[in-house]
Amino acid sequence: SAGGSWRRPACGCGVVVSALPTVVQAGHQELPARTNGSVPTTPALARDALHTKMEQLEEQLLSKILTLQKERQAANTDRSQQQHDIEKELNSLQNRVTELEHGESCYSPPDAFKVIIPVQNNYMYARMKKSLPELYAFTICMWLKSKALAGLGTPFSYSVPSQANEIVLLEWGTNPLELLINDKVAQLPLSLKDKAWHHVCVAWTTRDGKWSAYQDGEQRGAGENLASWHAIKPQGVIILGQEQDTLGGRFDATQAFVGELAQFSVWDHMLAPAEILGLANCTSHLQGNVIQWDDQAVEVFGGASKGGFAACEEGRKA
């Protein structure tokens, strides 16, 4: 050029300038060439991490709250159950106190109970689970309180397959009280229809058929030739409150006992008068050696029930 001076081409700047960003991009790849909303920044990442952590903590807190609520509900249920059990026990104790005060229902000793037959019909009765062995003598004692309007009915009956009336104590209608052995009859001069408690015993031996009858410890009648030389047959059925026309059944409502019975016991010999008196006035606790009065040995049927009975107290109220 004229004067020897050099001039930069007009387009050279554009080339150099346009190349600079490329160099910067090539030499510093770790830096973003530009920033916009499509790529999260460090503060945004921190916020996301914090948000995630808070969500996790909230989930943990919620889980803990639910666990505590379940534990609280379980504890409340346990307390409610405990309270229910305590109230039930208290009610039971209160009922026991009431029963002891009135002498009814529950009874502690196995023999401190009575059988209650409230209505005269042909389906209320008690049955002894135990039977009799073969007997050549016996004494049968019991406490009873009749509520019958007419005859006493049948306090007890013992039936065997070949003889429905093996042993029966019966007062039917206007007839006198009778003791039947092998369907043979002896009339007993006892008076038991005053609706009061009475202690009753009947004793018998096959030798000459001798018998005796006691009311409240006193002998009221005696005789002989009642089924003489007969042996009481074993393995029969003892029913309290009904007369058996067949083994264990076919009862007649007109012959049923209505009232209360207790302390039914059987011995295999004739008790002495002093022993019977001791039973009646409660100075003796002699137990039957064949049949003992025990709660587990007596079943009730048809609406008959059991209640508490203290012979020396309730029996002597009369």
Side-chain angles (χ1 to χ4, degrees):
S1 67
S5 61
W6 176 81
R7 290 192 307 164
R8 195 183 314 181
C11 63
C13 288
V15 173
V16 173
V17 172
S18 63
L20 285 175
T22 303
V23 173
V24 172
Q25 289 176 357
H28 304 277
Q29 292 180 0
E30 74 277 8
L31 296 177
R34 57 181 178 175
T35 61
N36 54 36
S38 63
V39 180
T41 62
T42 299
L45 290 173
R47 284 195 305 272
D48 291 344
L50 182 61
H51 182 71
T52 300
K53 187 66 175 178
M54 290 177 66
E55 287 181 343
Q56 292 174 350
L57 290 173
E58 288 176 353
E59 290 178 358
Q60 293 175 5
L61 181 61
L62 181 59
S63 176
K64 186 64 176 177
I65 290 173
L66 292 175
T67 300
L68 291 173
Q69 288 178 340
K70 290 180 180 179
E71 291 176 352
R72 182 178 179 182
Q73 290 174 354
N76 289 336
T77 300
D78 291 341
R79 282 196 296 270
S80 298
Q81 184 62 43
Q82 291 175 358
Q83 184 176 359
H84 175 73
D85 292 341
I86 291 172
E87 290 177 352
K88 183 178 179 181
E89 186 65 23
L90 288 174
N91 287 335
S92 177
L93 291 172
Q94 182 61 45
N95 289 337
R96 177 63 178 149
V97 170
T98 302
E99 288 157 3
L100 289 174
E101 289 175 348
H102 293 84
E104 293 293 332
S105 294
C106 285
Y107 35 88
S108 180
D111 65 338
F113 74 100
K114 61 188 174 185
V115 170
I116 303 166
I117 303 175
V119 180
Q120 190 173 34
N121 53 43
N122 64 351
Y123 54 84
M124 288 187 182
Y125 64 97
R127 176 173 174 154
M128 305 298 296
K129 293 182 180 179
K130 188 176 179 180
S131 185
L132 299 179
E134 186 174 62
L135 295 174
Y136 301 94
F138 65 74
T139 302
I140 300 176
C141 294
M142 62 193 306
W143 284 94
L144 61 83
K145 181 169 69 171
S146 172
K147 295 183 179 179
L149 298 177
L152 185 71
T154 308
F156 77 89
S157 62
Y158 175 65
S159 176
V160 295
S162 59
Q163 176 56 266
N165 296 324
E166 188 68 357
I167 310 175
V168 182
L169 184 64
L170 168 67
E171 186 178 65
W172 185 17
T174 58
N175 298 318
L177 184 65
E178 297 176 337
L179 174 64
L180 282 70
I181 297 178
N182 191 32
D183 217 15
K184 308 302 187 293
V185 180
Q187 295 184 351
L188 310 183
L190 306 184
S191 178
L192 306 169
K193 292 183 292 188
D194 58 358
K195 298 179 172 55
W197 280 104
H198 292 286
H199 188 262
V200 176
C201 290
V202 289
W204 171 87
T205 177
T206 187
R207 184 179 179 86
D208 295 325
K210 292 182 179 179
W211 63 269
S212 54
Y214 296 79
Q215 179 174 328
D216 299 325
E218 298 180 5
Q219 182 174 307
R220 297 289 184 90
E224 56 185 27
N225 297 321
L226 176 60
S228 301
W229 312 110
H230 172 74
I232 300 299
K233 297 180 178 64
Q235 305 304 316
V237 175
I238 302 174
I239 296 292
L240 304 181
Q242 297 284 353
E243 195 274 331
Q244 306 172 63
D245 284 339
T246 59
L247 184 66
R250 212 167 81 188
F251 305 138
D252 184 342
T254 63
Q255 297 176 329
F257 173 85
V258 55
E260 301 174 357
L261 306 165
Q263 300 293 324
F264 179 88
S265 301
V266 182
W267 291 260
D268 62 1
H269 56 277
M270 295 183 77
L271 292 181
E275 292 176 311
I276 292 176
L277 179 61
L279 290 170
N281 62 23
C282 298
T283 59
S284 170
H285 298 285
L286 184 65
Q287 299 288 326
N289 66 341
V290 176
I291 297 290
Q292 295 185 2
W293 188 245
D294 188 289
D295 180 33
Q296 299 300 316
V298 182
E299 298 177 289
V300 291
F301 298 91
S305 62
K306 296 178 181 179
F309 178 74
C312 295
E313 296 174 11
E314 192 165 354
R316 303 319 302 167
K317 290 178 183 178

